[in-house]
Amino acid sequence: MLEGGTFGDSGREIVVEEKMEGEEASIMLMVCGRDYVMLPASQDHKRVGEGDTGPNTGGMGAYAPAAVADESVLGDVRRNIVEPTLKGLAAEGIDYRGTLYVGIMITARGAKVVEFNVRFGDPECQVLMPLIESDPLELMYGIARGKLDNSGVKISDGYAAVVVMCAAGYPGSYKKGIEISLPQDSDIPEGAWIIHAGTKSSGGKILSDGGRVLGLTARADTLAGALDKAYSLAEKTGFAGAHFRRDIGRRQLLRDSRKAH
Ligand code: GLY
């Protein structure tokens, strides 16, 4: 690689990184300079296959709040990641206003940063929006104008889950333009939504237009309830070759049931 130029300029340098072992969680912050609101922690499922197997994808499903990021982890994230980051941005003269996505690994030695993004996570955003009871647009518009009213941000006590329905072959090559069959509005339960990700409308039909096609999303009082609703919506929705993971949130459900016994 170094001598043969296999990867061009990218192959001229070796970077040795710490291997972080643990469970990942996504922390989204709404930032207005040095002020911020931390939205509920969520957890994405990045591998295509059940049991976290197979290649990485853009995200096969998520749920929030993710109990794995408990109060102690969130305190650690605030103190050791968020506050130094916002201080650093301010020190560089950056008046950052918007979403800050901190991808963390919860290791035996505390929370470590996997990545920062200056956008919402996808599909994490799909489970955060149903949990914000106040108007998210007002929050964003206020931040854009330099005003963040923490007390005006109301987060629901419930849970939300999203199951991502993908095209056959995704995350490898896949076909587009496959007709999607959607349930009637009256068959969509209260507190559930079909979010179009990779679709288009053509000739009065809804067709697939991407690898991750739909997000079957639901909110309920419990995680199990939100997952049940999202999966029942997935069963009523489809297109040729559609696939989705059937174990979104399962690790958390197992932890909950172990705790209950
Ligand atoms: N869910 C991963 C991402 O949005 O980057």
Side-chain angles (χ1 to χ4, degrees), residues 44 46 58 101 115 117 119-124:
D44 188 6
K46 289 189 174 145
Y101 166 155
E115 59 180 342
N117 291 300
R119 58 165 173 80
F120 279 106
D122 173 10
E124 293 94 321

Side-chain angles (χ1 to χ4, degrees), residues 35-252:
D35 297 327
Y36 67 93
V37 180
M38 194 184 262
L39 300 179
S42 53
Q43 190 169 54
D44 188 6
H45 294 60
K46 289 189 174 145
R47 303 284 181 157
V48 73
E50 271 132 43
D52 294 325
T53 53
N56 253 347
T57 66
M60 296 295 291
Y63 67 93
V68 67
D70 60 16
E71 277 311 311
S72 132
V73 170
L74 295 178
D76 181 18
V77 170
R78 280 178 194 276
R79 270 187 314 277
N80 298 320
I81 301 174
V82 174
E83 276 151 29
T85 301
L86 299 188
K87 196 170 160 193
L89 286 171
E92 291 188 18
I94 298 169
D95 176 18
Y96 184 69
R97 298 181 194 175
T99 310
L100 185 64
Y101 166 155
V102 192
I104 58 163
M105 183 74 80
I106 303 164
T107 75
R109 288 185 294 126
K112 307 262 181 176
V113 176
V114 178
E115 59 180 342
F116 282 113
N117 291 300
V118 287
R119 58 165 173 80
F120 279 106
D122 173 10
E124 293 94 321
C125 186
Q126 286 87 307
V127 293
L128 294 181
M129 290 303 131
L131 295 178
I132 305 181
E133 281 178 354
S134 39
D135 183 347
L137 284 181
E138 241 169 58
L139 171 65
M140 293 175 199
Y141 189 52
I143 287 175
R145 287 175 303 153
K147 269 196 223 114
L148 173 59
D149 172 16
N150 280 9
S151 61
V153 183
K154 302 259 175 305
I155 303 293
S156 129
D157 284 335
Y159 288 80
V162 59
V163 174
V164 175
M165 190 171 274
C166 302
Y170 176 82
S173 58
Y174 53 82
K175 289 200 182 104
K176 294 182 180 178
I178 302 163
E179 187 174 351
I180 302 171
S181 146
L182 296 167
Q184 300 292 325
D185 284 354
S186 55
D187 281 340
I188 300 178
E190 170 73 25
W193 303 269
I194 298 177
I195 297 177
H196 290 242
T199 67
K200 69 176 179 189
S201 160
S202 172
K205 294 179 176 165
I206 304 291
L207 307 178
S208 70
D209 197 36
R212 290 187 299 154
V213 177
L214 298 166
L216 295 319
T217 307
R219 184 185 59 205
D221 291 342
T222 61
L223 176 58
L227 287 163
D228 279 353
K229 246 196 246 183
Y231 278 115
S232 83
L233 200 49
E235 297 303 342
K236 294 177 192 157
T237 308
F239 50 91
H243 66 98
F244 56 90
R245 272 181 67 165
R246 289 169 193 275
D247 66 343
I248 303 304
R250 188 175 294 162
R251 195 154 38 164
Q252 183 56 44

